[in-house]
């Protein structure tokens, strides 16, 4: 079977699983249901996946791997007041999420995978902890701050994808950046301030 055909079969299987997840919990999805929707055979399913759960995990891993690539690039940039505008990395994250809109909604839905939400939370917490590590502030305050904004991030993303997907990724990215980073750059009089960075960071 040609590579394109193999990819098409895998995609149909994945689409079938996520389609069923809209109304059925993952453990209750049967292979027979999947192959019927995917217009393929049971033996073909097992050629690519060992279980329905493996289909879901493969999608999750690919999504987070793509996110990691974006985050790695973002961490090479200098943290500064430019964070108040939509950065290329944040736009790229929003584009990736909207591209996978239907499946992300299902994953976070009532029949989705609770483990994915936990993985995504840990993943983004680690990224933002690294992003703000040289910004002035004590560690405990940063911990509480990160817990607060990441919970809001997940809810905002889910609301956007479910209710307002017509809003462009760049607009959502700009909003998220301001919600995330404004506390570091705005003083009590609503004046922009410059974050104090370590000497090592200033010299990069």
């Amino acid at each position: 079977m040609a590579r394109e055909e193999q990819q098409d079969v895998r995609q149909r299987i994945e689409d079938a699983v996520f389609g069923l997840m809209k109304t059925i919990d993952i453990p209750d999805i049967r292979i027979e249901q999947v192959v019927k929707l995917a217009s393929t055979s049971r033996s073909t399913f097992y050629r690519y996946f060992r279980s329905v759960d493996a289909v879901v995990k493969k999608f999750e891993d690919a999504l987070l791997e793509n996110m990691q690539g974006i985050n790695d690039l973002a961490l090479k940039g200098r943290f500064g007041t430019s964070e108040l505008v939509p950065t290329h990395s944040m736009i790229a994250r929003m584009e990736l999420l909207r591209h996978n809109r239907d499946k992300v909604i299902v994953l976070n839905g009532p029949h989705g995978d609770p483990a994915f939400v936990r993985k995504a939370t840990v993943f983004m917490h680690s990224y933002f902890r690294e992003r703000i590590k040289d910004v002035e502030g004590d560690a405990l305050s940063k911990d509480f701050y990160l817990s607060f904004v990441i919970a809001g991030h997940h809810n905002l993303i889910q609301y956007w994808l479910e209710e307002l997907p017509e809003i462009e990724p760049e607009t959502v990215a700009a909003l998220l950046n301001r919600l995330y980073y404004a506390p570091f750059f705005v003083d009590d009089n609503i004046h922009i301030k410059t974050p104090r960075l370590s000497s090592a960071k200033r010299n990069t």
Side-chain angles (χ1 to χ4, degrees), residues 30-170:
R30 300 290 174 255
I31 301 296
E32 291 79 6
Q33 296 171 294
V34 176
V35 298
K36 182 177 180 180
L37 277 178
S39 299
T40 188
S41 67
R42 190 181 184 91
S43 61
T44 299
F45 176 94
Y46 283 116
R47 187 181 304 159
Y48 300 109
F49 303 102
R50 68 180 182 276
S51 65
V52 170
D53 188 64
V55 178
V56 178
K57 291 297 190 289
K58 185 175 179 61
F59 172 82
E60 293 174 354
D61 291 345
L63 182 65
L64 292 180
E65 183 179 345
N66 285 328
M67 286 284 199
Q68 185 64 61
I70 294 169
N71 289 353
D72 289 344
L73 288 175
L75 289 173
K76 293 179 181 178
R78 185 174 185 271
F79 188 87
T81 52
S82 62
E83 300 297 341
L84 293 178
V85 300
T87 60
H88 293 301
S89 59
M90 185 66 86
I91 294 171
R93 286 191 208 99
M94 297 307 105
E95 289 174 340
L96 180 63
L97 289 169
R98 190 164 77 164
H99 177 73
N100 292 283
R101 173 180 176 259
D102 291 343
K103 291 172 183 173
V104 172
I105 289 174
V106 170
L107 272 180
N108 292 328
H111 303 287
D113 181 11
F116 175 73
V117 177
R118 290 193 293 273
K119 284 192 292 186
T121 298
V122 171
F123 175 82
M124 290 306 295
H125 193 282
S126 297
Y127 165 72
F128 282 108
R129 179 187 293 278
E130 181 68 17
R131 197 77 177 110
I132 66 172
K133 68 179 183 180
D134 292 315
V135 177
E136 182 180 8
D138 65 276
L140 182 60
S141 295
K142 289 182 183 180
D143 271 346
F144 278 113
Y145 163 79
L146 287 171
S147 296
F148 175 75
V149 297
I150 289 172
H153 167 274
H154 290 340
N155 285 321
L156 188 151
I157 293 298
Q158 189 74 0
Y159 179 73
W160 167 51
L161 294 176
E162 287 184 352
E163 305 293 339
L164 300 169
E166 69 277 6
I167 296 179
E168 291 299 317
E170 184 171 358

